[in-house]
Every structure is written in structure tokens, then in C-alpha cells.
Amino acid sequence: MADRIISGRTHDAYMTVRDHIADGWAASVCTVPKDAPKGEELIKLDTVFEREDVAWKSVERFARAELNNLK
């Protein structure tokens, strides 16, 4: 599955949800300074959810909160 990106004023948040065999859906979010390569990210959330839609909602909520804290 493709990453989704949310841009804040000073940082970008990359969100990923992928199928985690037999456990559910693994969701990750990382924030990087604007225009920084994604390869230097620090993962802030890496957890497993039972459903894909719940994983996307949770990871997006977390990403928006992180970006708001970095204003």
C-alpha cells in the first residue's frame, strides 16, 4: 500500500498501513522536516490494528497531532 503524506508548516508526516500477516494491519507514521528525504525518518507510531480503516483513521489522527505540536 502506498504512503499518504500530510504536510504541516515545518514538517511532513508519512503514514503507512500494510497488511501484517495474521495479526491485522500495521500502521506507521513518521515526521521529517520539510524537503528532507524519507530515509532519515524517526517512526513515532508502529502498532497493529484489527481493521485497515481503523488503522488509517488512527495513524492520520496521530500524524495531525504530531504536526500540530511541531508548529
Side-chain angles (χ1 to χ4, degrees), residues 26-69:
S28 301
V29 63
C30 61
T31 54
V32 295
K34 279 221 181 271
D35 301 322
K38 187 182 172 208
E40 297 176 14
E41 76 267 9
L42 173 63
I43 294 176
K44 298 282 189 169
L45 171 70
D46 195 7
T47 193
V48 177
F49 297 88
E50 289 185 23
R51 295 183 6 216
E52 182 182 15
D53 61 329
V54 173
W56 277 116
K57 286 178 185 177
S58 296
V59 77
E60 184 175 344
R61 189 175 314 125
F62 185 82
R64 289 187 187 283
E66 283 290 306
L67 291 175
N68 283 336
N69 288 333

Side-chain angles (χ1 to χ4, degrees), residues 9-35:
R9 207 176 308 173
T10 61
H11 288 74
D12 294 325
Y14 289 87
M15 303 171 294
T16 304
V17 172
R18 64 188 182 287
D19 191 5
H20 194 268
I21 300 171
D23 292 333
W25 296 88
S28 301
V29 63
C30 61
T31 54
V32 295
K34 279 221 181 271
D35 301 322

